[in-house]
Every structure is written in structure tokens, then in C-alpha cells.
Amino acid sequence: MKIAIGADHGGYRLKEIIVPFIESLGHEVKDVGCTCEQSVDYPDYALPVCDAVISGEADRGILICGTGIGMSIAANKVPGIRCALVHDMFSAQATRDHNDTNVLAMGERIIGPGVAQEIVRIWIETPFSNGERHVGRLNKVKQIEAKYELHP
Ligand code: RB5
């Protein structure tokens, strides 16, 4: 799998831990930055990660900021992106199983690197259930997107 990853200054240090962790799991990483702890704007890193997922250049995306909130808000503005803000292992599993999320957001100021690594491992390795009720709900989410794409 190819994973696109991005962070702002609030998530930079955790990103630097997560990138080699993903590689150690046998996956390829496209790192869009940021490259240091200097203050930047999270939408500038959410967009290239989401673009990579939507274009098919990456299979999934991971976004990290201080809380994960700004990143998840920005990512979910992109049609076709289903981004979950996750800080526990149960949600990491459930959001793949139920929501088929293609982007994961986390907050460096909320969780430690050990929990973050386990969340990433579970989120990467859990398949979508393809359960009928979950597919039906995701189709309803797509209908919401379609409504506002036609009438912005
Ligand atoms: C940056 O200070 C912080 O606001 C940002 O990383 C993020 O938490 C926003 O949601």
C-alpha cells in the first residue's frame, strides 16, 4: 500500500515517528511535509494528501496536527475523502470496518507515539467489511456530497 502523510507544526514530531513506522510495516510513504516545527497552516498539508488519495497516487492518507481536528475538518471538505479523527484502537478498527475511511487524522498533543503507532497499524490492516448496511450508509453520504457539488 502507498500512504500519503502530512502534518503541520503541531504534528511534525509525531509524523517523523509514524513515517518510518509505516515503512517498517512494508508500505510506501509519500511525505508532503511539513519539514520542521516552524508554524504553518494545516489546510496546506491536508489538501496534497487528499489530492494524492483522490488521484489514486496513494491508497490512503494520514494527517497529523496538534489535535487532529483542523486536519479532519479540512480533509472532509474534499469530495470522496472519508477522514476519521482517531485517538483509540477501537475507533481505528471500527472506522475501517464501518466507514471505509481513506484518511486518518490524529493529534500529536492528544496521544503518545505508542498509541499512535498502534492506531496506524490497526487502521492500515483492517479491511472494510463491505456489509450491506454500511455500504448503504456510505451511499447516503455520497448523496450528500452530490447534492452540494450540484448546488454549492
Ligand atoms: C496549531 O497550533 C494547531 O491549531 C493545529 O495543529 C491543530 O490542532 C488545529 O486543529
Side-chain angles (χ1 to χ4, degrees):
M1 208 182 279
K2 185 167 177 181
I3 312 281
I5 189 166
D8 73 356
H9 56 289
Y12 169 71
R13 285 178 303 171
L14 182 56
K15 175 172 73 66
E16 294 304 291
I17 293 170
I18 294 299
V19 167
F21 177 71
I22 295 169
E23 289 168 341
S24 79
L25 296 175
H27 302 287
E28 194 184 339
V29 174
K30 174 189 167 80
D31 184 348
V32 306
C34 62
T35 56
C36 67
E37 290 180 62
Q38 190 178 328
S39 183
V40 292
D41 301 330
Y42 56 80
D44 295 339
Y45 298 90
L47 187 56
V49 165
C50 294
D51 279 346
V53 173
I54 293 302
S55 71
E57 183 191 355
D59 300 289
R60 307 250 199 103
I62 295 179
L63 292 167
I64 308 171
C65 63
T67 59
I69 295 170
M71 285 295 199
S72 58
I73 290 171
N76 279 313
K77 296 294 180 195
V78 178
I81 292 296
R82 293 176 301 281
C83 174
L85 173 55
V86 172
H87 290 132
D88 67 276
M89 281 69 147
F90 176 80
S91 301
Q93 189 270 335
T95 196
R96 285 289 312 134
D97 190 23
H98 292 205
N99 314 121
D100 195 18
T101 43
N102 49 13
V103 175
L104 169 71
M106 298 184 293
E108 179 189 304
R109 297 174 186 157
I110 311 293
I111 48 172
V115 171
Q117 286 175 329
E118 191 57 11
I119 286 169
V120 166
R121 190 188 64 73
I122 292 167
W123 185 77
I124 287 176
E125 292 176 0
T126 303
F128 177 48
S129 65
N130 248 310
E132 194 181 335
R133 67 186 195 283
H134 299 310
V135 170
R137 290 163 189 159
L138 288 175
N139 283 337
K140 291 190 176 189
V141 171
K142 284 179 193 149
Q143 285 168 16
I144 295 172
E145 278 181 344
K147 178 184 173 188
Y148 284 93
E149 280 172 39
L150 291 173
H151 308 288

